[in-house]
Every structure is written in C-alpha cells, then in structure tokens.
Amino acid sequence: MPPSPESPARGVRLPRPSPAMWRGLAGVVGLALAGVTAVTGGAPGLFERGLYDQAVSRLLPGVPRSADLVLVEVDDRALSALGERWPLSRATWARAFRAMAAQRPAAVAVDVVFDQPGSRDALELGEDVLGALRDSGLADQPAGAALVADLEARLHAQDGDARLAESLAENGTVILGAAALTEDVSLMPPLADGVLGSPLPLPVDSLRLQAREVAGSIAPLRMAAQGSGTLNMLVDADGIIRRYPYVVGVDGHVWPSLALATALRLMPEQFESLLRRATLDDGAPLMRLPAPDWLPRVSLADVLQADPRSVGLDLALRGKTVFVGVTATGLHGQSTLPGQVAVPGVEIHAFALDNLRADRLMRSSGLVALSGLLETAVVLLLFGWRCRRSRTLRAVALTALGFGVLHVGLVGWLAADFGWVLPLMPACVGLGLMLLVDSAARTEELGRQRGALRRLFVRYPQAAPVPPGESR
Amino acid sequence: MTRTLPWLMVFALSGSQAWAQDTAQGDACGGLRFVNGRVELGRKLEPKGPATEACLRHVAEALTARPAIRSVTVAARLPDAERLDGQGLAVAKAAADVLVSAGVARTRVSAVAPPAVPGEPGQLQLAYVERPAQPRVAQVRAANGDVSAGPSAEALKPRGVGDSLYTGELFQTSKDASAELELADTSRVRVMADSLLRLGAIELGANSKRVVRLELMRGSVETEAAPGGEGSVFEVRTRGAVAGVRGTQFRVSAQEDGGSRLETLEGKVALGADQGEVEVAGGHGSRVMPGAAPEPPRPLLTAPLLNGPRGGSFTTPPKLEWFTVAGAKTYRVELGRTADFAASMHTYEAQGQAFTVPTDLTGKWFWRVLPVDADGFIGFPSKIFAFDLRP
C-alpha cells in the first residue's frame, strides 16, 4: 500500500535535537530554579533549607558569648521559690523590676505582654469597705481614721498594675513586649494606631511581616515604660525560625521588634544605621545562630531573694542589657532554630539584638538574590562551554566536579565572610543535569560509531591474521 | 451652644471614642478624649500651674462620670535635670492629689515619673485602666429619622451613625425612620420604619463560624447575611416563627396580628414554627400565622420595569412611572440619597403605576419600586434610577 501523502515518507527522519540544545535546556532548569528562589524571597530555597540549616548550625561560626547581655529567666526554680504559677502577679513583677532597677541595668527588654489589667476584685471590695466607713462616720473618729489610713495603704500596696507602672518608671529603661496580630481572631485586644509610640520612618509595603493590628500592654504600663517592641517571629512552613523580623508593617505604619527597640534605646546615636540594618532582606534577615550557652542566665528567684547589695547580682546586672522572659518547663514557646535547636523565645530576641548591633546579619534577597542568579548563570555557561571542548566523559565529569566545588566554596565563603546567602542547589542541579545529558549524548555517539564500524567490518570482511608457525 | 455643636458631632462620629468637652472647662484641656487607655488632651499639659490644675479638675470630673474606669495613672515626664532627687515623682504626686481633691478615689490614682523623650519639654500624661469592655455586636451604619436603642423599652435613648450596639439591646425605628446596622460578622440588617429589634447573641469563632440571633419584636428587617463557615447560625426570630438563613438575603416581618412573613430574595431560608418548618428558596415567600404551620412557599412578584425618569434634572417634582406587574396590588416606592438606600431613605406606597415625588425632596435621589401582592408579600426590587430635583 502506498504511503498517504500526509504521512512522512518512510526512511525520512526528523532532525534530532543536538546535545548542545539538551545541555542548554538542562542549564535553563538550574537557572529557573535560581530564578524561583530569587523571586520567592531569596535563599535558602525550598529544597536547600536542610542544607542551609546544617551549614549555619555546624559550619558557620556562631555568635560568640556576649559580655553585656544577660537573661533573667522565670524558670522552674523561680516559680517554686515564689510559690506562684504563671502568669506571675503584677505585684511580683513590680518587685522584680524594682530589684533590677537597683542594679542599674543599661536596658531591660521584657518578653511579656501585659495586655490585660490585673485582678481588682479585692481592691474593689476594699474600696467598698472604705466607702462604708466614711458613710457611717467612723472615719471621723480617731480609731476609724487610723483604720481608713491603714486600709488605704494596704489597698495601695495591693494595686499590682499601679505598682508595676511605678517600678517601670523607676527603672526608666524597660522595653515591653507587644504583639503584631496576624490572625483573623486574636486572643489579645488590638490597640489603635500610634499607641506603641512613634512609628519608624520606613517604607511599609515591602516588609516580610505584615499584620492587621497590634496589641500591647495596658496603657499605664506603656506610658511608664521606655517603649515597646513586637515579639513576633517568622516561622517557615517546616516550623523552623530562620529569619527574625526586626520591623513589622501594620496598617501603613512600621513598628520595631523587641530587639530593634532595645537597640535603639541603647544606641540612639546609631539610629540611621540600625534602621538600615533592620530593613535588610525586607525587614527580616537570616540570623547567625548562637553558640551553646552563649547567654549568661540569672534566675528571677535570685534577683528577688538576693540582697540588693549583693556583689554577685551587681556583677551580673549592672550596666548590662537584661532580657526578661520565661524558660520554665512547658511555659516557654518551642522556638526551633536551624539544626533543630529549641530555645526559649526570649533568647531569640537577645541574639537578634546581638546580630543587629554587631552587623552579623545575613541577607539573601534583592542584590544578593540577583548575584545568586548571575553566579548560577555564569557557572552553568562556563560548564557548557567546557563541555564542548572536553574530549572524554571523564574530563567532563572532572570539569563538573571542579565547577561544583568552586560554586560550593564561593557560596560558603560569601556566607561566612560577607553574610551573603546565595542559592546553592540550583547551580548543582543544573551541573548535574548537564553532566547527565552530556554523558547520555556521548554514550549514544559512541554507540553510533561502534555500529558504523561494525557495519563497515561486515561489509568488508578481512581474514583473521594467522599466527606465525600455524598452517592454514 | 454654637461651640458645643461641633463636639457633639464628633461624639456621634467617633463611635467608641468618647469625647467630653464643655465651654466652661473644656478650654483648660483644649479637648479631652479617652482612647485605648490614654487620656488624650487637646494640648500638652504643663507639669504645674493654674491651667494644669484646672485641666486636671476637668479630667477628674470626666473620670468620675465613667464608672467603668478602675484606676488612673499620672505620669510626670520631665527632663532628667528636673527629675533628680524625686522631683519628678513629686510633680506627679501633686497632680494626682489634684485629681483626688476633685473627687477621684485615692486608691484609684497612682503617680509615676518616667524619663522624658530627649529634646521634648516636660509634660504630664494620664492613662487609665478600664473594666474589660463589652464587645459591641453591631454598629449603626446609616440612620434616617429617629432611631433609638437601650437595654429595655423604657430606657431607649437616641442613637446615631457610628454608635455601637451591645448584646441584649433593643433597637427601635420610629414611624418614618429606617436604619442599617452592620453586625460584628459584617452582615447587614436594614431595619424598616416602625420596627423594634432585639440584638441577641452574636458570636464569632474560628474558621468564619458565627452565631447570630436577632429577635424582631415589631416591624420588618431586610438582611444580607455575610457568608459564614461550617456550623454557622443566622436566625431572625419573631413571636411565632424563626427564620434561619442558609443563604444570603431575605426579609422578615412581624405582623400586628402575630403572624410572620418571610421573603427570600437569594439563597435559602428555613421558616420554622411550632407546627412545622418550610424551606423557602430564593424568589419565594411564606408566612406563618399564630398557632398554624408555615404556608407553602409562594413565588414572589417579579421586579417592575421602570418607565422613567432614568436620570436628569427637574425643576418641578418628577412623576415616577413603571409598568404593571401581574399580581401586584400596590407598589412600594423607595427614594434614597445613596444607591444602596442606606442613607436618608423615604418609603411611599403607590396604588397605580405612577408616583409624584413630594415637593420637599430636593436634590439628587435614587429611586426604585417594589411590587406588593394582596397578602402583603413584597416582590423583587426594580432597577435603580436617579433624578435631580432643583426647583
């Protein structure tokens, strides 16, 4: 049967894509991966987070032990010594801040939001009793007047919110926690604009952490404190915190985190540079991890029970930046850092401050992401060019290995020395795919040449050489 | 009086932000506002002086008028040089003493002296702690005519746009008034003239789950229920029936004879009574009389086709005309200042296919017509046209 006019003629072959084209496509895959990483916020990309976590937790040098940061922790011992359960009473907090104020710390950053007023049931009962005493005329008699004065003094002491406000004002260096509300339904009552103080003069649109509203401590405490900072973290989909949001955008305004608010309090002369660092990577740069036990700790029990003239307490707190938070079992947030390091949230604020003031922040978006894209393109282009010039598969494999080592070295060097986190996997994937394609093309070419030789020998058979000394 | 009026307007517009101002003492503070636990004054309060004392006395009056405020803290925010040796705290305590002498309980006043903001002059600041505020369940979005609300029929007080409404409150419209409420779940409820509505529980949960219960004691309401999550409830109760929304838009009327009428414009609504329940789909209506089961759903009348005017300015009141709808006994003509008929709405009943606009309705008006059948069921609204009356 003759072939139909529409069908291709038998024996005619469509042109096959050249190996160079396949290599190019493989390179484009790697480049596309780098592009996706760049537009989705920069490295580490989705498939290289595990590698990044291992590298940053095991290979990069950690934040060294700090001499001027200290953690005052509400630990199991403190709860046991105080005989209280969490949350602590306002009166206890007031005593704690007063005790810390006696040691003259440089700043006190509090990883707690006092968003509700303390209980006033007993106070209102006392006020009713006072009113009854006055109405009955007993207060006009000497004994009644003494009773009224005594009752007033007791009620004054029992007003935990007022005493806490007094201790915060007396301290003069306290930065309270606040919360940026990102959920539709929040447990905390939101505050109106401007209640955390003056917003930062920064553009809000590009920030990674955007919130609907902000919640903070009750007004008397905010008024008595030196400022407030948000306590939010940026948790990746795998539950690991790799970035710290130094600033948060709320309804057109920018508010500082606890770490940034504390840094601005400590170094007001570096306002501009601190803001510039805080806005790296859209306000949430990657962090260097701390070395184990980098932050000296003091139990709140010791702060409250020690003699105010204690030399040990003086050495621990005087002139230091004190972070206050809860670390008792089951009470602190389970914040997991790269390398599966679980630390209390208050420690993250502390080393975020240390990263910020020492400019140890790592960046991966913007110019760095573009650099990563270019570096990936250069590595893949150079490898593609070398592939064409290499005669053997072994040479190609060695070239790929060389470029891979160079790429990993460059990425590691930039991360360790400059804090630039470039994408690692896209170039490696591109190199691997290009090597695979080149290997397949060379194998096919080898097979084709062998087939041609075989056909040549079948068409022109040659007599097998006869070893000398044998007869035909 | 002329100076008081603007402040009253601000009070009406600011919702929960309560302003207090009077001509006699208001100048001492330059204005006074209680916002988010802070006492905001119209000007910065000097640490000392007669003007400060006058303002503090005014603040004390405002504080004692607010029993929900549990305590107040006075902060003397002074430059470091003026805070030394307890001077700052002494200034704050002196200010607190003024509050106490003006009637605030001593046990409710405290004084602090935090550091001042560098470069800023010294000033006094005040903050307060309030009992946890009851969350509002609705807000008056638009009001036309006399509307009032209160915990009981005897304690109704006038309300305006922006006012908050709380669980259990009664909301009433007078004979020529109407209002639109926005519920906490963003649903809209139009309360027609001469209606009395009790706001029941409105609960918002996770995953958009909500529970809304309204009790219509008199008159009629038109509801646009916001989409709710799984397990959501939106009910309008009358004396004899419960309309539970499974859709988006419906009207409920509590008739004088004790009956209830439901018209479902979109979605599906269950009309329940003691003797049974019917589901009334969109485009249908049903009613239930006292002691009887709900009637089977009946189709609502279709929207009238308007003849005109479709726009333009008029020097004399225009005649609004439309075409007959089969089954309509009368027509309800609605005129509003806005196209959503939320603001300044007027409702008239017309017997024929025309209605002449009253002469006092000058300016731009939107209008639409709704057919009404012999049993009082209101059909679908017509398209909306507008006219501008400029005599």
Side-chain angles (χ1 to χ4, degrees), chain B residues 203-236:
Chain B
E203 302 161 10
L204 302 180
N207 300 324
S208 303
K209 184 181 175 184
R210 55 101 195 277
V211 176
V212 177
R213 288 194 170 92
L214 306 175
E215 187 179 355
L216 182 63
M217 307 176 79
R218 189 178 73 236
S220 59
V221 294
E222 183 173 328
T223 301
E224 278 184 54
E230 193 177 350
S232 293
V233 175
F234 194 113
E235 284 182 355
V236 181

Tab-separated table of all heavy atoms in Angstrom, chain B residues 203-236:
chain	number	residue	atom	x	y	z
B	203	GLU	N	-21.866	35.628	68.126
B	203	GLU	CA	-20.585	35.037	68.495
B	203	GLU	C	-19.796	34.765	67.232
B	203	GLU	O	-20.336	34.256	66.260
B	203	GLU	CB	-20.795	33.719	69.247
B	203	GLU	CG	-21.642	33.874	70.505
B	203	GLU	CD	-22.211	32.540	70.963
B	203	GLU	OE1	-21.793	31.506	70.429
B	203	GLU	OE2	-23.093	32.571	71.833
B	204	LEU	N	-18.524	35.107	67.278
B	204	LEU	CA	-17.636	34.838	66.152
B	204	LEU	C	-16.591	33.828	66.587
B	204	LEU	O	-15.981	33.990	67.638
B	204	LEU	CB	-16.948	36.121	65.684
B	204	LEU	CG	-17.880	37.253	65.263
B	204	LEU	CD1	-17.068	38.456	64.829
B	204	LEU	CD2	-18.777	36.802	64.133
B	205	GLY	N	-16.435	32.785	65.800
B	205	GLY	CA	-15.460	31.763	66.148
B	205	GLY	C	-14.431	31.594	65.055
B	205	GLY	O	-14.360	32.391	64.110
B	206	ALA	N	-13.613	30.565	65.215
B	206	ALA	CA	-12.581	30.307	64.217
B	206	ALA	C	-13.222	29.781	62.940
B	206	ALA	O	-14.377	29.356	62.923
B	206	ALA	CB	-11.586	29.296	64.776
B	207	ASN	N	-12.475	29.826	61.856
B	207	ASN	CA	-12.920	29.337	60.546
B	207	ASN	C	-14.222	29.988	60.107
B	207	ASN	O	-15.090	29.341	59.532
B	207	ASN	CB	-13.098	27.811	60.569
B	207	ASN	CG	-11.818	27.116	60.899
B	207	ASN	OD1	-10.748	27.560	60.482
B	207	ASN	ND2	-11.901	26.056	61.663
B	208	SER	N	-14.366	31.267	60.409
B	208	SER	CA	-15.533	32.055	59.991
B	208	SER	C	-16.843	31.530	60.550
B	208	SER	O	-17.908	31.842	60.041
B	208	SER	CB	-15.624	32.122	58.458
B	208	SER	OG	-14.446	32.646	57.929
B	209	LYS	N	-16.785	30.686	61.576
B	209	LYS	CA	-18.029	30.199	62.173
B	209	LYS	C	-18.638	31.323	63.005
B	209	LYS	O	-17.952	31.987	63.749
B	209	LYS	CB	-17.742	28.991	63.056
B	209	LYS	CG	-18.999	28.380	63.634
B	209	LYS	CD	-18.681	27.207	64.527
B	209	LYS	CE	-19.955	26.688	65.186
B	209	LYS	NZ	-19.679	25.608	66.121
B	210	ARG	N	-19.943	31.527	62.827
B	210	ARG	CA	-20.586	32.590	63.591
B	210	ARG	C	-21.993	32.157	64.005
B	210	ARG	O	-22.606	31.299	63.380
B	210	ARG	CB	-20.656	33.871	62.754
B	210	ARG	CG	-21.349	33.681	61.398
B	210	ARG	CD	-22.757	34.145	61.371
B	210	ARG	NE	-23.449	33.629	60.217
B	210	ARG	CZ	-23.403	34.179	59.015
B	210	ARG	NH1	-22.682	35.244	58.810
B	210	ARG	NH2	-24.076	33.646	58.027
B	211	VAL	N	-22.420	32.762	65.082
B	211	VAL	CA	-23.776	32.538	65.568
B	211	VAL	C	-24.421	33.905	65.743
B	211	VAL	O	-23.926	34.732	66.502
B	211	VAL	CB	-23.770	31.775	66.908
B	211	VAL	CG1	-25.188	31.654	67.439
B	211	VAL	CG2	-23.143	30.407	66.752
B	212	VAL	N	-25.472	34.151	64.990
B	212	VAL	CA	-26.177	35.439	65.063
B	212	VAL	C	-27.644	35.150	65.351
B	212	VAL	O	-28.279	34.377	64.638
B	212	VAL	CB	-26.042	36.221	63.740
B	212	VAL	CG1	-26.836	37.511	63.816
B	212	VAL	CG2	-24.582	36.513	63.432
B	213	ARG	N	-28.137	35.753	66.409
B	213	ARG	CA	-29.563	35.578	66.734
B	213	ARG	C	-30.179	36.954	66.967
B	213	ARG	O	-29.738	37.687	67.842
B	213	ARG	CB	-29.725	34.691	67.973
B	213	ARG	CG	-29.407	33.239	67.695
B	213	ARG	CD	-29.896	32.330	68.814
B	213	ARG	NE	-29.785	30.932	68.406
B	213	ARG	CZ	-28.715	30.174	68.641
B	213	ARG	NH1	-27.679	30.690	69.273
B	213	ARG	NH2	-28.684	28.917	68.243
B	214	LEU	N	-31.164	37.284	66.145
B	214	LEU	CA	-31.878	38.547	66.273
B	214	LEU	C	-33.335	38.240	66.588
B	214	LEU	O	-33.869	37.215	66.144
B	214	LEU	CB	-31.790	39.351	64.970
B	214	LEU	CG	-30.378	39.596	64.422
B	214	LEU	CD1	-30.463	40.285	63.064
B	214	LEU	CD2	-29.577	40.451	65.376
B	215	GLU	N	-33.971	39.123	67.334
B	215	GLU	CA	-35.378	38.926	67.666
B	215	GLU	C	-36.154	40.146	67.179
B	215	GLU	O	-35.943	41.264	67.669
B	215	GLU	CB	-35.552	38.759	69.175
B	215	GLU	CG	-36.961	38.375	69.564
B	215	GLU	CD	-37.105	38.183	71.065
B	215	GLU	OE1	-36.088	38.257	71.783
B	215	GLU	OE2	-38.234	37.978	71.510
B	216	LEU	N	-37.003	39.909	66.189
B	216	LEU	CA	-37.799	41.003	65.637
B	216	LEU	C	-39.116	41.065	66.404
B	216	LEU	O	-39.952	40.161	66.299
B	216	LEU	CB	-38.050	40.755	64.148
B	216	LEU	CG	-38.828	41.845	63.428
B	216	LEU	CD1	-38.062	43.162	63.435
B	216	LEU	CD2	-39.119	41.426	61.986
B	217	MET	N	-39.303	42.111	67.171
B	217	MET	CA	-40.498	42.208	68.009
B	217	MET	C	-41.608	42.977	67.317
B	217	MET	O	-42.787	42.830	67.648
B	217	MET	CB	-40.125	42.876	69.327
B	217	MET	CG	-38.944	42.149	69.976
B	217	MET	SD	-38.349	42.897	71.461
B	217	MET	CE	-39.552	42.315	72.605
B	218	ARG	N	-41.211	43.821	66.346
B	218	ARG	CA	-42.226	44.595	65.620
B	218	ARG	C	-41.597	45.069	64.309
B	218	ARG	O	-40.387	45.313	64.259
B	218	ARG	CB	-42.644	45.801	66.469
B	218	ARG	CG	-43.839	46.576	65.924
B	218	ARG	CD	-44.239	47.717	66.827
B	218	ARG	NE	-43.301	48.822	66.775
B	218	ARG	CZ	-42.684	49.327	67.831
B	218	ARG	NH1	-42.868	48.803	69.029
B	218	ARG	NH2	-41.844	50.338	67.710
B	219	GLY	N	-42.421	45.185	63.270
B	219	GLY	CA	-41.923	45.744	62.022
B	219	GLY	C	-41.248	44.716	61.137
B	219	GLY	O	-41.579	43.530	61.181
B	220	SER	N	-40.315	45.167	60.351
B	220	SER	CA	-39.653	44.257	59.417
B	220	SER	C	-38.188	44.625	59.231
B	220	SER	O	-37.795	45.779	59.419
B	220	SER	CB	-40.376	44.260	58.060
B	220	SER	OG	-40.380	45.566	57.532
B	221	VAL	N	-37.428	43.619	58.898
B	221	VAL	CA	-35.999	43.818	58.626
B	221	VAL	C	-35.653	43.126	57.321
B	221	VAL	O	-36.286	42.141	56.930
B	221	VAL	CB	-35.112	43.250	59.754
B	221	VAL	CG1	-35.309	43.997	61.042
B	221	VAL	CG2	-35.343	41.765	59.948
B	222	GLU	N	-34.669	43.670	56.666
B	222	GLU	CA	-34.134	43.029	55.461
B	222	GLU	C	-32.668	42.738	55.739
B	222	GLU	O	-31.927	43.630	56.156
B	222	GLU	CB	-34.282	43.945	54.254
B	222	GLU	CG	-33.813	43.295	52.976
B	222	GLU	CD	-34.117	44.163	51.760
B	222	GLU	OE1	-35.132	44.881	51.783
B	222	GLU	OE2	-33.316	44.130	50.817
B	223	THR	N	-32.282	41.509	55.522
B	223	THR	CA	-30.964	41.063	55.967
B	223	THR	C	-30.112	40.607	54.804
B	223	THR	O	-30.587	39.914	53.918
B	223	THR	CB	-31.134	39.897	56.957
B	223	THR	OG1	-31.914	40.351	58.049
B	223	THR	CG2	-29.801	39.422	57.462
B	224	GLU	N	-28.866	41.028	54.823
B	224	GLU	CA	-27.859	40.477	53.915
B	224	GLU	C	-26.841	39.787	54.787
B	224	GLU	O	-25.971	40.417	55.376
B	224	GLU	CB	-27.179	41.580	53.114
B	224	GLU	CG	-27.951	42.027	51.915
B	224	GLU	CD	-27.176	43.052	51.123
B	224	GLU	OE1	-26.030	42.771	50.751
B	224	GLU	OE2	-27.726	44.143	50.911
B	225	ALA	N	-26.978	38.485	54.893
B	225	ALA	CA	-26.096	37.741	55.791
B	225	ALA	C	-24.749	37.520	55.130
B	225	ALA	O	-24.673	37.105	53.976
B	225	ALA	CB	-26.738	36.408	56.148
B	226	ALA	N	-23.702	37.792	55.875
B	226	ALA	CA	-22.355	37.541	55.364
B	226	ALA	C	-22.127	36.036	55.294
B	226	ALA	O	-22.713	35.286	56.078
B	226	ALA	CB	-21.329	38.190	56.282
B	227	PRO	N	-21.283	35.583	54.378
B	227	PRO	CA	-21.022	34.145	54.307
B	227	PRO	C	-20.420	33.654	55.625
B	227	PRO	O	-19.536	34.287	56.182
B	227	PRO	CB	-20.002	34.018	53.167
B	227	PRO	CG	-20.070	35.308	52.428
B	227	PRO	CD	-20.539	36.338	53.379
B	228	GLY	N	-20.930	32.552	56.101
B	228	GLY	CA	-20.415	32.001	57.350
B	228	GLY	C	-19.793	30.647	57.126
B	228	GLY	O	-20.077	29.971	56.134
B	229	GLY	N	-18.925	30.235	58.032
B	229	GLY	CA	-18.261	28.943	57.923
B	229	GLY	C	-19.204	27.816	58.316
B	229	GLY	O	-20.392	28.025	58.615
B	230	GLU	N	-18.647	26.624	58.318
B	230	GLU	CA	-19.440	25.441	58.637
B	230	GLU	C	-19.968	25.546	60.065
B	230	GLU	O	-19.234	25.929	60.984
B	230	GLU	CB	-18.569	24.192	58.488
B	230	GLU	CG	-19.367	22.914	58.503
B	230	GLU	CD	-18.476	21.701	58.268
B	230	GLU	OE1	-17.312	21.902	57.923
B	230	GLU	OE2	-18.958	20.594	58.435
B	231	GLY	N	-21.245	25.178	60.235
B	231	GLY	CA	-21.839	25.215	61.569
B	231	GLY	C	-22.344	26.589	61.970
B	231	GLY	O	-22.734	26.773	63.118
B	232	SER	N	-22.331	27.545	61.043
B	232	SER	CA	-22.784	28.893	61.381
B	232	SER	C	-24.307	28.935	61.511
B	232	SER	O	-25.029	28.159	60.892
B	232	SER	CB	-22.339	29.883	60.304
B	232	SER	OG	-20.942	30.002	60.313
B	233	VAL	N	-24.768	29.863	62.317
B	233	VAL	CA	-26.208	30.050	62.531
B	233	VAL	C	-26.521	31.524	62.350
B	233	VAL	O	-25.795	32.377	62.853
B	233	VAL	CB	-26.598	29.611	63.964
B	233	VAL	CG1	-28.055	29.930	64.228
B	233	VAL	CG2	-26.325	28.131	64.165
B	234	PHE	N	-27.572	31.807	61.589
B	234	PHE	CA	-28.057	33.178	61.456
B	234	PHE	C	-29.570	33.106	61.537
B	234	PHE	O	-30.227	32.608	60.631
B	234	PHE	CB	-27.607	33.788	60.121
B	234	PHE	CG	-27.777	35.278	60.059
B	234	PHE	CD1	-26.673	36.113	60.007
B	234	PHE	CD2	-29.034	35.859	60.072
B	234	PHE	CE1	-26.827	37.485	59.965
B	234	PHE	CE2	-29.204	37.222	60.035
B	234	PHE	CZ	-28.097	38.044	59.979
B	235	GLU	N	-30.118	33.559	62.639
B	235	GLU	CA	-31.549	33.406	62.856
B	235	GLU	C	-32.193	34.753	63.145
B	235	GLU	O	-31.613	35.583	63.841
B	235	GLU	CB	-31.815	32.498	64.047
B	235	GLU	CG	-31.612	31.035	63.768
B	235	GLU	CD	-31.950	30.176	64.973
B	235	GLU	OE1	-32.257	30.742	66.048
B	235	GLU	OE2	-31.898	28.958	64.833
B	236	VAL	N	-33.388	34.931	62.595
B	236	VAL	CA	-34.216	36.071	62.977
B	236	VAL	C	-35.504	35.495	63.553
B	236	VAL	O	-36.245	34.797	62.855
B	236	VAL	CB	-34.524	36.976	61.776
B	236	VAL	CG1	-35.371	38.156	62.231
B	236	VAL	CG2	-33.237	37.488	61.146
